[in-house]
Amino acid sequence: MPPASRPGAPIMSDTTIRTGSEDGTSERLRDREDEVATDAESVAESETEIESEHQCPECGGRLASDTEHGETVCSECGLVVEEDEIDHGPEWRAFDSAEKDQKSRVGAPTTNMMHDRGLSTNIGWQDKDAYGNSLSSNQRQKMQRLRTWNERFRTRDSKERNLKQALGEIDRMASALGLPDNVRETASVIYRRALDEDLLPGRSIEGVATAALYAAARQANTPRSLDEMAVVSRIDKMELTRTYRYVVRELSLEIQPANPESYVPRFVSDLDLSDGTERRARELIEAARDRGVLSGKSPVGIAAAAVYAAALLTNEKVTQNEVSDVANISEVTIRNRYKELLEAADAPA
């Protein structure tokens, strides 16, 4: 039964009620469409204003900032759009890197080569004040105590002490091998990943650090042989090989096989040979690769033999013993490989 109407109230049919609700919905939809259109127009206007700010008012060319003169000029017609701009750079000038470092008021950038990423305070060992004057004996003793406590506070737990020791080992070995900073940074990141994924239990810190440095050198295309790594490391070659394979497998590192050409520049530089010899050595390696001679052979031996063979072809005096000392391989390997390279290149032995 429908509800009873009040006396005197207008009687509305179902058709009238539905029509009224539909009209209200239509009005709300039209209002929403108007709001969307207004928003789209405002966005278009703002984009137009941004484009006009980066365009020349005369020719419509691209605007460029001249920080030296504090001006904004058009790169097409040269019109100066703005001048006397605020210079956000330093108020001093430097003419070389040493003067720039001396006048700079900021610290060194963050780096992965330090266990605290270089954010902590480091007290120097010069025992001099800000003016370069030597400290008194009492002040030196005080500074020594401060250094001791500062070193203790820089490592909060065993993990940071582990990381500090490992990064110190990486820096020491990289310096002995002449590896650049990018290799040290990559090795530090690899060791941090190994530490975070709990790969160190059962293995020495020196072993994982050496494996990380060896992998980083391979990734940066500045490889060092296992024998060279074992010389500067505190572990033997067998442990290094085993740890390296474990780290690469667990961390899923993508490392390409070593390329013989990457060893050639270092061998040529250590032997003080010419650029022509280096170019000839690369040609011998490429010819041997085309003939399939390189498969299954050590890239270090191939590179050393190529350098020796190229020196013979360019009439430069170098002995097998000298090449053997530089490449850290035996003379027998050089004799066997260089004959194979000359045969692959159809060159006279």
Side-chain angles (χ1 to χ4, degrees), residues 1 49 67 79 81 175 303:
M1 295 291 292
E49 292 177 358
T67 57
L79 175 67
V81 180
S175 299

Side-chain angles (χ1 to χ4, degrees), residues 115-116 120-121 123 145-157 160-161 164:
H115 71 282
D116 53 6
S120 62
T121 302
I123 302 176
R145 289 195 298 270
L146 289 175
R147 292 191 193 99
T148 302
W149 282 106
N150 182 55
E151 288 297 322
R152 293 174 181 174
F153 290 148
R154 288 180 66 184
T155 53
R156 296 174 297 179
D157 50 22
E160 288 193 357
R161 286 193 296 270
K164 182 180 179 181

